[in-house]
């Protein structure tokens, strides 16, 4: 089931975190919903650690349709921001969307996209995201496909890498088919290039919207 748009749960389109402020980033004054995940201070990390590695730009999709959805998403963002040599740089508006290919009666999702700078490899980042899912109550083992879940973290793009292993596919194989992924991602990275389809996120969104 597809929907043309989701209910936007924030007044801003995106926010950029001030990388010069520690222990946590502080959103610009005009941002709203996404600012709250940094209200609780995180452990201070030495800035020198970022200078030792080339930082990759990555984009992830976050979703929740079980429990305290918004609070869980804020918690996930905060935990991502504390990963080694990783910082959250952009967060889209929070959108409420109808579940796609889900069991009947599944509750609506809140979906959001985030941009990161990281010194981790794509595999290290994905393993860290899965660990955060577990810490927030998700158990992928034996779960019914597309069943309601407290948190869903997907690695969408990792620099211009194309990765195909038994445990990780980058870019995400269905990114161009999912409105609930493309809409928030286009807010924070409209000109990001899909390294396989050779189209920007804006172009992929426009192409998908034209078919609805």
């Amino acid at each position: 089931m597809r929907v043309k748009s989701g209910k936007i749960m924030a007044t801003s389109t995106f926010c950029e975190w001030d990388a010069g402020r520690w222990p946590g980033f502080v959103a610009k004054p005009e941002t709203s919903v996404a600012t709250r995940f940094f209200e609780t201070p995180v452990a201070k990390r030495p800035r020198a650690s970022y200078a030792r590695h080339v930082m990759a730009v990555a984009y992830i999709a976050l979703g929740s349709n079980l429990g305290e959805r918004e609070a869980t998403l804020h918690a996930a963002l905060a935990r991502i921001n504390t990963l080694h040599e990783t910082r959250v740089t952009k967060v889209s508006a929070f959108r409420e969307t109808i579940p796609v290919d889900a069991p009947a009666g599944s509750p609506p999702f809140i979906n959001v996209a985030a941009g990161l700078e990281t010194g981790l490899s794509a595999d290290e980042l994905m393993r860290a995201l899965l660990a955060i899912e577990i810490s927030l109550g998700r158990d992928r083992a034996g779960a019914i496909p597309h069943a309601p879940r407290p948190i869903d973290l997907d690695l969408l793009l990792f620099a211009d890498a194309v990765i195909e292993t038994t445990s990780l596919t980058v870019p995400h194989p269905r990114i161009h088919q999912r409105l609930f992924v493309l809409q928030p991602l286009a807010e924070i990275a409209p000109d990001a290039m899909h390294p396989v389809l050779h189209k920007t996120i804006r172009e992929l969104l426009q192409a998908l919207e034209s078919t609805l």
Side-chain angles (χ1 to χ4, degrees):
M1 185 175 188
R2 290 177 172 174
V3 291
K4 290 195 174 183
S5 63
K7 175 184 175 184
I8 297 178
M9 304 184 71
T11 57
S12 60
T13 55
F14 70 90
C15 53
E16 296 178 351
W17 305 108
D18 181 359
R21 297 286 298 275
W22 291 90
F25 300 110
V26 177
K28 292 181 178 179
E30 65 269 19
T31 62
S32 57
V33 169
T35 65
R36 293 201 296 276
F37 84 83
F38 277 128
E39 288 179 353
T40 301
V42 297
K44 186 172 183 178
R45 294 170 291 174
R47 296 188 64 177
S49 65
Y50 288 99
R52 295 199 301 268
H53 301 286
V54 175
M55 303 294 284
V57 175
Y59 295 98
I60 63 173
L62 304 88
S64 175
N65 72 333
L66 190 64
E68 297 295 328
R69 301 172 301 167
E70 193 173 328
T72 301
L73 292 170
H74 288 307
L77 287 165
R79 295 182 192 193
I80 291 166
N81 193 61
T82 63
L83 295 176
H84 181 62
E85 295 186 336
T86 299
R87 65 189 183 100
V88 176
T89 57
K90 293 183 178 181
V91 179
S92 74
F94 284 37
R95 278 182 162 78
E96 189 170 69
T97 63
I98 296 173
V100 175
D101 299 326
S106 295
F109 269 91
I110 296 179
N111 292 107
V112 59
L116 316 176
E117 290 181 355
T118 183
L120 301 176
S121 68
D123 184 65
E124 289 171 333
L125 178 58
M126 190 65 242
R127 283 190 278 115
L129 295 178
L130 292 175
I132 290 172
E133 284 190 347
I134 292 171
S135 74
L136 292 172
R138 182 171 184 190
D139 182 8
R140 288 180 178 245
I144 299 173
H146 309 296
R149 46 207 181 271
I151 189 67
D152 193 5
L153 302 176
D154 288 324
L155 180 55
L156 303 176
L157 299 170
F158 189 89
D160 59 354
V162 178
I163 302 168
E164 187 82 40
T165 69
T166 56
S167 59
L168 179 64
T169 300
V170 176
H172 191 284
R174 292 177 295 281
I175 186 174
H176 60 294
Q177 301 170 336
R178 293 180 165 179
L179 199 62
F180 62 87
V181 170
L182 288 174
Q183 284 183 328
L185 185 56
E187 291 180 7
I188 61 172
D191 297 319
M193 183 68 66
H194 192 295
V196 175
L197 300 178
H198 304 294
K199 292 184 178 181
T200 66
I201 296 303
R202 179 191 291 110
E203 290 171 333
L204 292 176
L205 176 58
Q206 291 172 342
L208 182 57
E209 288 178 332
S210 71
T211 66
L212 301 179

